[in-house]
Amino acid sequence: MSTGAKVGIGVGGGCLVVLVVLVVVGFLIGRGATSPEPSAPPPAAESSAPAEETEEPVEEEPEAADSGVTMTASDAGTTGDVLDPEAVYTVVDVTIENGSEENVEVNPLYISATLADGSSVNDWGEALFADIEQIESGTLAPGDSASGQIALVGEVDVVQVELQSVLAQDEPIAVAEVS
């Protein structure tokens, strides 16, 4: 093989590696993005009904598809950081049980939390060094369960957690109210 071919293959392979890294980083940033405000409800349609009969629209929370996967979540208080003694994280205990007939991918990246103000967050990257027992990443076979903790930056009021699919494009796989 000529020197030019070797250089071409090396440069092409290097470009491919850079492209893959950029895609992975973009995915992680997208999953970690927060929405600072809940989306505004749609404007109410004008009605000819008297004012006392008008009802406020009810905002529904996302429901998990009936996937057979269940999740429980409970507030576990706060914790610190193994590197930064000033850092404070809110901790949630999470248990995921696969009652479906298919394997389910479990990863802290796939778990998002809904705060009391309605914002959805996934602080996995920012809470990487939180002093918690993280949920093991891997495939959960039918009938198996996984337990661990997630951490969110600061002292926040977490009301719900969701397990998303790998691509996070569908309805959540499982939703749990935080008790």
Side-chain angles (χ1 to χ4, degrees), residues 1 4 6 8 27 31 52 58-59 73-74 76 79 135-136 152-153:
M1 187 181 286
K6 291 177 185 177
F27 174 76
R31 282 291 292 150
E52 63 269 6
V58 178
E59 188 173 315
S74 61
T79 191
I135 296 173
E136 293 278 331
L152 303 160
V153 176

Side-chain angles (χ1 to χ4, degrees), residues 130-176:
D131 191 15
I132 62 172
E133 295 177 27
Q134 286 197 6
I135 296 173
E136 293 278 331
S137 297
T139 302
L140 200 58
D144 286 348
S145 65
S147 296
Q149 298 174 320
I150 61 168
L152 303 160
V153 176
E155 291 187 48
V156 294
D157 187 13
V158 182
V159 295
Q160 176 177 291
V161 292
E162 296 180 2
L163 176 64
Q164 299 288 337
S165 65
V166 175
L167 299 176
Q169 295 176 343
D170 302 325
E171 293 293 319
I173 296 172
V175 176

Side-chain angles (χ1 to χ4, degrees), residues 37-124:
E37 297 179 23
S39 59
E46 290 188 29
S47 171
S48 60
E52 63 269 6
E53 293 180 24
T54 306
E55 293 184 22
E56 294 281 326
V58 178
E59 188 173 315
E60 295 183 22
E61 295 185 14
E63 292 291 325
D66 188 15
S67 63
V69 179
T70 59
M71 183 166 56
T72 58
S74 61
D75 184 7
T78 60
T79 191
D81 190 297
V82 295
L83 299 177
D84 181 6
E86 308 259 330
V88 175
Y89 301 98
T90 298
V91 180
V92 178
D93 290 325
V94 177
T95 300
I96 302 166
E97 297 178 2
N98 185 1
S100 73
E101 295 179 7
E102 298 180 17
N103 290 338
V104 174
E105 295 299 318
V106 175
N107 189 317
L109 287 172
Y110 308 155
I111 300 174
S112 62
T114 302
L115 305 182
D117 66 2
S119 60
S120 179
V121 296
N122 179 324
D123 287 346
W124 179 83

